[in-house]
Amino acid sequence: MRPAAALRAALVCALALGALTGCSREYDAEDVQYAGDYSSHPPLAVVGYPSTGTLGITQQVVWRIADGKADELASLANDAQDKGTTKKTAENWIAAFRKGAGGKVTAEFYDEGSYRQTVVLYLHDTGQIKEIHVLPGSTEYRDVWRVSMGEPDPAEATAVAPWVPKKPGELGSTMLP
């Protein structure tokens, strides 16, 4: 390639790169953390119909359990709950489900998730099942989703409700009345 043509190609590339980066949105700390978490954990299999919010909070719950981060898991709790209860619940969930949360997990989302959604986590490596409830909340600057964390007793934290099927999809992701 002639020097003039090479210079012209380099200038066109620089101009295109400048235009693309000038139009890119800024990423905040939450976006960067989410991308890092997403890339460093096994993918979450999904059954049912999550909303963007219910899927996001469920992924974070599984990631925090797998990473053994009790304070970060407790920070996902419903703000109306007692902080001591949420901290103890987070510790119970990590003690009981950490190994399984680090492997293949299927999350089944029951009914529709516009207000509150029941989610059943199937931890395939350990054969464990964990039911959680996610609900909307708000912070000072935006709406967020939270998880109900009121299981300070280890036996309660690991109990499986009688209605929960042994395998994902057995009820068609619809709770029975």
Side-chain angles (χ1 to χ4, degrees), residues 101-169:
K104 182 179 179 192
V105 178
T106 298
E108 183 164 11
F109 293 81
Y110 282 86
D111 299 322
E112 63 91 24
S114 62
Y115 176 68
R116 174 187 164 116
Q117 198 159 32
T118 297
V119 182
V120 177
L121 303 173
Y122 294 89
L123 312 172
H124 298 279
D125 291 353
T126 60
Q128 295 172 294
I129 299 172
K130 176 67 187 145
E131 176 186 1
I132 64 173
H133 302 280
V134 296
L135 58 156
S138 61
T139 63
E140 298 168 1
Y141 59 96
R142 66 184 180 127
D143 292 335
V144 295
W145 283 84
R146 297 289 184 206
V147 63
S148 180
M149 295 181 69
E151 300 171 344
D153 177 5
E156 183 181 12
T158 57
V160 178
W163 71 268
V164 174
K166 302 295 180 216
K167 295 179 184 175

Side-chain angles (χ1 to χ4, degrees), residues 19-20 24-25 36 75 86 92 102 123 125 127 155 173 177:
L20 289 173
S24 297
R25 79 177 189 106
S75 75
T86 60
N92 289 338
L123 312 172
D125 291 353
S173 302

Side-chain angles (χ1 to χ4, degrees), residues 20-35:
L20 289 173
T21 58
C23 296
S24 297
R25 79 177 189 106
E26 293 293 320
Y27 292 100
D28 63 14
E30 287 181 27
D31 292 330
V32 172
Q33 180 178 356
Y34 181 84

Side-chain angles (χ1 to χ4, degrees), residues 6-140:
L7 179 59
R8 193 171 332 137
L11 288 173
V12 168
C13 287
L15 181 61
L17 182 61
L20 289 173
T21 58
C23 296
S24 297
R25 79 177 189 106
E26 293 293 320
Y27 292 100
D28 63 14
E30 287 181 27
D31 292 330
V32 172
Q33 180 178 356
Y34 181 84
D37 281 333
Y38 190 85
S39 66
S40 62
H41 293 91
L44 184 68
V46 175
V47 176
Y49 304 98
S51 69
T52 302
T54 60
L55 177 58
I57 190 73
T58 300
Q59 286 176 310
Q60 290 179 56
V61 167
V62 172
W63 296 337
R64 300 302 160 253
I65 292 171
D67 294 342
K69 296 183 175 179
D71 289 335
E72 290 183 30
L73 178 57
S75 75
L76 302 174
N78 179 0
D79 292 333
Q81 291 181 296
D82 174 70
K83 299 300 179 205
T85 299
T86 60
K87 174 72 174 181
K88 184 62 181 157
T89 299
E91 292 167 355
N92 289 338
W93 289 5
I94 289 168
F97 303 108
R98 185 173 185 182
K99 182 178 179 186
K104 182 179 179 192
V105 178
T106 298
E108 183 164 11
F109 293 81
Y110 282 86
D111 299 322
E112 63 91 24
S114 62
Y115 176 68
R116 174 187 164 116
Q117 198 159 32
T118 297
V119 182
V120 177
L121 303 173
Y122 294 89
L123 312 172
H124 298 279
D125 291 353
T126 60
Q128 295 172 294
I129 299 172
K130 176 67 187 145
E131 176 186 1
I132 64 173
H133 302 280
V134 296
L135 58 156
S138 61
T139 63
E140 298 168 1

